[in-house]
Structures are given as C-alpha cells and as structure tokens.
Amino acid sequence: MKHLKFFVFLCILTFTVSCGQQKKYVQYKVKEGESMRVIAKKLDMKTKDLLRLNPDVSRNPETNTVIIIPNKDLKKGTINKDNNKDVVAGSNTEKEDSKTVVISEKQKQRNLLIAELEKEFKIHEVKKGDTFYSLTRFYNVTREDLISLNPALSEGLKLGQLIKIMPIDEFIEEDELLYKDDIKRGVSVKAAIMLPFRAAELEALSSKDIFENSKLSNIVTDFYLGAEIAIDSLRKQGVELDVTVFDTGKNSTKIKTIVAENNLKDNDVIIGPLYSEEVQFLADNVNTSIVFPVYSKKQSKFTSSRIIKTSPNKDLFRDKLLKYIEGNFYDGNIIIVGDGKTESNSSANKIREILKSHDSINSVSLITPKDGYIKKSKFTDVLKPKMKNIVVITTSDNIIVASAINSLISLPAETTATVFTFDKVSAFDNIDNAKLAHLGFTYVSDEYVREDAFKAMDFNRKYLAKNGVLPSSYATKGFDVTYDVLMRLASGNSLKSTLDEGYSYRVETKFDYTDKAFKTTENKGLFIVKYNADLTLTRIQ
C-alpha cells in the first residue's frame, strides 16, 4: 500500500510539473523565410536560448517545422492562441501555489546543487528530445568528453539529469555572432589543397640539401597531416568530401601548369597555395574562394575579393592591445619602450598619442635605449611607486627586450609594473618564463590553446594515433584552417555567406571575418593572453 501511495504521489508530481511546463511553452510553426535568429528577435530573446529549447533544430529550419517557444503572454495572464489552441495563463493560481510547496524543498536542494556545479562547470539539464548527437553538436564537444565528466552517461541520458559539459574556464559564452556548426544532411563538398611538397625536387637532392630544405618540408608536411585529421573528422560526421591535393613545386611555373590542366572552378574552395604571388595569380585566374592559410607581410597587398586571409595583419595586434588598455586601466602610468627605429617609433608614437587623450591615464612616457640597451635608472625615473605602472614594449630587439625585463624584475618593493607587448616575438622566447610571469606578461596572439582542453586533447589523441608523434603548431594550424572552412561549407551555404554569419573557435585559432570595414575577407580573430604566477597561461580576452 505504501508503494502504491508513493507511485500515485509521483504521478501527481509529474503531472503538476508538466502542467506548469505546458503553460510556460507553446508550439510554433516556422514560416517561410524565418530563421531561428529572426524568430528569437520577434520573441525578444537570445538565439542561443531558443536553440537550447530546440536542440535538434538547425539555425535555418525548413518551413512548417514545429518548434518550442516561450509563451510570452504567461506573465500577463492572457490567452495565447498559437497553433489554434487556447492556453490560459494565470488561472488556478491558488491550486498551483499549494502544489508548488510540495516540491519547493526538493527544488531548493536542486538549485543549490546547480549553483555549486556552476562554480566549476558549464552544466546542462537533459530535456525531452536531447540526444548525444544534439548535445555534442550544440556544445561542440564529443560523446567521450561528456562521459569522462559524467560516468553515469555510459548508461544513457535521463530526463531531468544534470550533466557537466566542460570546465567553466573553457566554456566560451555564445553570443549572436558565434557561428553555429550545422551539417546539412547529404551535403557534398569539393575542395583542393595546394602546398609546395616539392616531391620531384627533393628526390633529386643530396641528403645535405634535403636537410637545408627541411624547415619548409616540415612546415608543409605538418600542415597537411593536420588537414588530414580535419578531413577524416568531417567524413565521420557524415560530410561527403572530394579533396584533390596538388604539389605546387618550387616556383610559380608549376601553379600555372596546374591552372591550365585542371578545371579548378568546380571546387567550392581552394586551400593554399603558401606563396603570396601564387595566391594572387590563382585569384586572377580561378573563380572560386581561395584560402590563404599562413601569414605573410605581403598579404596586405591582396585586393581580390576571392582571397580569404586566415591570419590577421600585424597592425590589428596593436589595435587590439590599445583597445584593451583603454577599456581596462584607470589611474595608471604608461611607459612605452621603443628602440629608436622607424617601425618601433611609429608604434610608440601612435600609442602615446592615443593614450595621452585618455582621461584616466596619469602620464605616458617613452623610453629608448642608449648604447644599445636600457639602463634600470631610465625606468626608476618614470615609474611611480604605489601606483599601477604599465610597460608596453614595442621592439623585437633581443638586447633591448632582455635589458628591459631584467630592469623591471629588480625594482624597489613599493614599485611594481606589468609588461605588455603586441606580439610575443622570438626576443621574448629567450627570456626565462619565471621572469615574464613575475611581471604579469601580457601579449596579443592569433593562437591560444589549453593542452588539457577537450578540443586540444581530442586532436592530439587522433594525431598521435595516426602519425606516432604529437602535432606541431603547423599541424594544428592545418587542422584549424581546413576544419573551419570545410565545416562552414558543410552547412550547404556558400563559404562567403557563412563567414558573415559569425566567428568560430577551433583547437587554437579564432576565425572572425565579420568586420565589414575590410575591403578583402580578413580574419581579425585575436586573443589577449597573460602569464600566471604558476607559469600557466590564461586567455583574458
């Protein structure tokens, strides 16, 4: 009898909760031309929240797709007539309040549990219709990732279950501009990859010559091996890929032959070549999107709208740091370290002019070397004790950088400084990381990866299993560039249209082509990274 009563109680409780849910949400039939973003805007809610209510629905659902939306009239106590069904909100208030008391203590405990979990993890409550596939697509994690954090999931998903998605410091909160990966069923993508493998030339070289050419060979090989992992991954997700690989050889003669002998315009995209001159030639002769996969000083001269530059121009690094300093530091003292050369002076002067107009900056000073290095006295003359001092290093000179860092780590106890730079050039690689950490060294980078992050571990595991070694930075770049481009094309839309839809994060790269200020298609995805006291790195923006 006791068991029967308990069963009846559970049925009543379930009915009570589901009744409440029915009043909070209603069905809606998608009209022609409506996207989830359009519908969310009409409902005055965020697209990401609407997608979470409908995890199996893409951002561009087909006409007449039935989705769940919040009943916006609920709070007003009016009648909702969507889908020809009257849903009365605000009735039976007294009854509902009395039933709420029955579950309030349990709900209170559940809320406490949620609050505790959210301190360390991004969590998700399993809803009706949730599947491993929908969760992994929505949060961009793997099934293995979820099970490793939630061992109970090995037995399957359960309605109402709270699951950990990922550590909170790895979770990137979505906004309206974050691109949502969406694979169209039955989609087929045709692509070409052009890299200077130089197979014919290397076969004819002696072992000494091969060694001298090994740097380029390693870069090209690693990039391609990373691209292979991306292609394998997408094929396993159901994308039909037709990828042709071309060896562009040692000089531009080979690229001209490739263009003459192949119908390249049938490709949805061409990844490569690596040389800027070849990219420009290709853009002038082939009517398809061309992805330039590496950084080159000459890329600023690209004018063709067909070229997609995956690496940000260096002037964006400076602009990113300046914007960060302007928006985050008040009552500070700025010291700029230059080397007296034209490029460094130009950057230093621009920073000085911008920051001098900032109301909250107390002073801006410029320090340049004497006899090739910077004496400690030059810093102590301008650094302010018991005040926030920011040192921005604009030079890549090894000696100047080393002398500046050594001077700053031996300041009097009451005087402290934080060091910033636009780009972590090789001069900083020669500095002891403990010194950089002591100064809170902060820099702008076009790559950031946490080795213990799910994406990084998954890629490292696959690469190691296939190639017997861990991936280099070029291999990771090959994966990121290839995966991002092909994943966007897997949506069934044109590559250019998906670039306008939002930015994306891959293993170590952010791809952001949404800025319309650029005449050409250029990635402006950058990170601001800081050294911690324990020598780890944190992405602060």
Side-chain angles (χ1 to χ4, degrees), residues 27-310:
Q27 291 184 330
Y28 176 80
K29 190 175 289 186
V30 177
K31 298 174 183 176
E32 186 175 355
E34 283 187 326
S35 65
M36 295 296 269
R37 180 177 293 183
V38 169
I39 297 169
K41 190 173 182 180
K42 290 179 180 178
L43 294 168
D44 193 25
M45 66 186 296
K46 292 183 177 180
T47 307
K48 65 175 183 178
D49 293 330
L50 184 58
L51 287 167
R52 282 177 181 153
L53 284 175
N54 301 273
D56 291 323
V57 179
S58 71
R59 283 180 176 262
N60 297 292
E62 295 180 2
T63 303
N64 295 326
T65 298
V66 176
I67 63 172
I68 302 299
I69 64 171
N71 181 357
K72 288 295 183 177
D73 293 331
L74 177 62
K75 294 181 181 178
K76 300 177 183 178
T78 59
I79 298 175
N80 186 300
K81 296 183 179 180
D82 281 350
N83 294 328
N84 300 319
K85 291 183 179 180
D86 290 349
V87 182
V88 182
S91 61
N92 298 327
T93 306
E94 188 174 339
K95 286 185 178 181
E96 287 180 3
D97 285 345
S98 64
K99 290 176 182 177
T100 302
V101 174
V102 176
I103 61 172
S104 62
E105 190 58 38
K106 288 187 177 181
Q107 189 61 51
K108 183 178 179 181
Q109 295 299 320
R110 185 176 179 82
N111 289 343
L112 288 173
L113 174 61
I114 292 173
E116 194 64 29
L117 287 172
E118 285 183 334
K119 291 179 181 178
E120 297 184 48
F121 299 95
K122 172 63 185 176
I123 65 169
H124 174 89
E125 181 177 354
V126 178
K127 300 179 180 66
K128 186 177 180 180
D130 279 351
T131 63
F132 276 113
Y133 178 78
S134 66
L135 292 176
T136 55
R137 301 301 307 146
F138 187 84
Y139 290 109
N140 201 16
V141 295
T142 66
R143 182 183 180 123
E144 291 74 20
D145 294 335
L146 294 176
I147 293 176
S148 68
L149 281 176
N150 309 272
L153 291 184
S154 59
E155 299 176 4
L157 294 169
K158 297 177 182 178
L159 194 63
Q161 187 177 18
L162 293 174
I163 60 175
K164 303 168 189 172
I165 300 298
M166 64 182 71
I168 196 66
D169 58 350
E170 292 179 21
F171 179 71
I172 301 167
E173 187 63 40
E174 294 183 24
D175 61 32
E176 295 300 303
L177 286 178
L178 184 63
Y179 180 75
K180 174 69 174 172
D181 291 345
D182 184 23
I183 298 176
K184 183 178 180 180
R185 186 173 298 175
V187 70
S188 177
V189 177
K190 184 175 175 61
I193 296 177
M194 296 187 177
L195 296 171
F197 295 101
R198 300 170 60 188
E201 291 89 343
L202 290 177
E203 283 181 7
L205 293 177
S206 65
S207 57
K208 179 182 178 182
D209 290 332
I210 290 176
F211 178 78
E212 290 175 353
N213 286 274
S214 63
K215 184 176 181 181
L216 176 61
S217 298
N218 288 339
I219 291 173
V220 172
T221 303
D222 287 0
F223 184 94
Y224 178 68
L225 292 175
E228 274 194 323
I229 301 295
I231 293 167
D232 289 345
S233 177
L234 288 164
R235 280 176 173 158
K236 289 177 180 177
Q237 294 178 63
V239 182
E240 184 180 332
L241 292 173
D242 179 5
V243 181
T244 306
V245 181
F246 294 95
D247 183 352
T248 56
K250 186 177 182 180
N251 51 51
S252 57
T253 304
K254 188 68 178 291
I255 194 76
K256 292 177 180 177
T257 303
I258 292 172
V259 171
E261 296 179 354
N262 296 274
N263 189 14
L264 296 175
K265 67 179 182 180
D266 286 346
N267 288 284
D268 297 301
V269 68
I270 298 173
I271 300 173
L274 290 194
Y275 298 121
S276 56
E277 296 83 0
E278 295 177 349
V279 170
Q280 194 61 62
F281 172 80
L282 205 58
D284 292 339
N285 290 276
V286 180
N287 186 22
T288 192
S289 295
I290 300 162
V291 176
F292 188 49
V294 294
Y295 172 74
S296 169
K297 290 182 179 179
K298 297 179 181 179
Q299 71 180 38
S300 59
K301 297 179 181 179
F302 291 159
T303 56
S304 174
S305 60
R306 297 190 185 109
I307 301 174
I308 299 169
K309 295 182 280 188
T310 62

Side-chain angles (χ1 to χ4, degrees), residues 322-508:
L322 283 178
K323 188 175 180 180
Y324 177 77
I325 291 175
E326 284 185 286
N328 292 275
F329 290 95
Y330 304 92
D331 298 321
N333 181 36
I334 307 288
I335 298 92
I336 304 166
V337 177
D339 57 19
K341 297 178 182 178
T342 303
E343 186 175 350
S344 177
N345 280 350
S346 175
S347 294
N349 288 330
K350 183 171 183 178
I351 299 171
R352 194 175 186 182
E353 290 306 311
I354 291 174
L355 296 180
K356 278 176 71 175
S357 62
H358 203 300
D359 294 338
S360 63
I361 301 295
N362 290 327
S363 65
V364 181
S365 306
L366 175 61
I367 294 177
T368 53
K370 183 178 181 181
D371 300 326
Y373 70 101
I374 298 178
K375 294 181 179 180
K376 182 179 177 180
S377 59
K378 284 205 169 191
F379 285 106
T380 54
D381 287 344
V382 294
L383 291 171
K384 306 291 178 65
K386 299 180 180 179
M387 182 180 284
K388 187 179 292 181
N389 293 294
I390 300 167
V391 178
V392 182
I393 298 179
T394 64
T395 177
S396 59
D397 184 280
N398 290 336
I399 296 175
I400 298 174
V401 169
S403 62
I405 297 296
N406 288 331
S407 296
L408 291 168
I409 63 169
S410 57
L411 295 171
E414 68 275 10
T415 305
T416 59
T418 304
V419 175
F420 290 80
T421 192
F422 309 137
D423 191 8
K424 189 174 178 286
V425 293
S426 59
F428 291 97
D429 293 334
N430 298 323
I431 306 296
D432 187 342
N433 283 337
K435 293 180 180 180
L436 297 177
H438 176 76
L439 295 168
F441 180 58
T442 304
Y443 61 98
V444 182
S445 176
D446 60 355
E447 59 184 43
Y448 172 76
V449 60
R450 279 182 48 130
E451 295 301 332
D452 59 344
F454 290 139
K455 286 182 183 178
M457 290 193 296
D458 186 51
F459 171 63
N460 289 345
R461 176 178 56 79
K462 290 176 180 176
Y463 191 93
L464 179 63
K466 186 169 185 176
N467 302 300
V469 294
L470 287 171
S472 67
S473 60
Y474 293 106
T476 308
K477 176 66 74 175
F479 174 87
D480 280 357
V481 169
T482 306
Y483 189 90
D484 188 71
V485 168
L486 298 183
M487 174 57 84
R488 288 174 182 268
L489 285 168
S491 67
N493 300 318
S494 70
L495 180 56
K496 284 295 183 71
S497 68
T498 66
L499 299 180
D500 292 337
E501 286 183 27
Y503 58 82
S504 56
Y505 293 92
R506 302 307 174 189
V507 174
E508 67 173 21

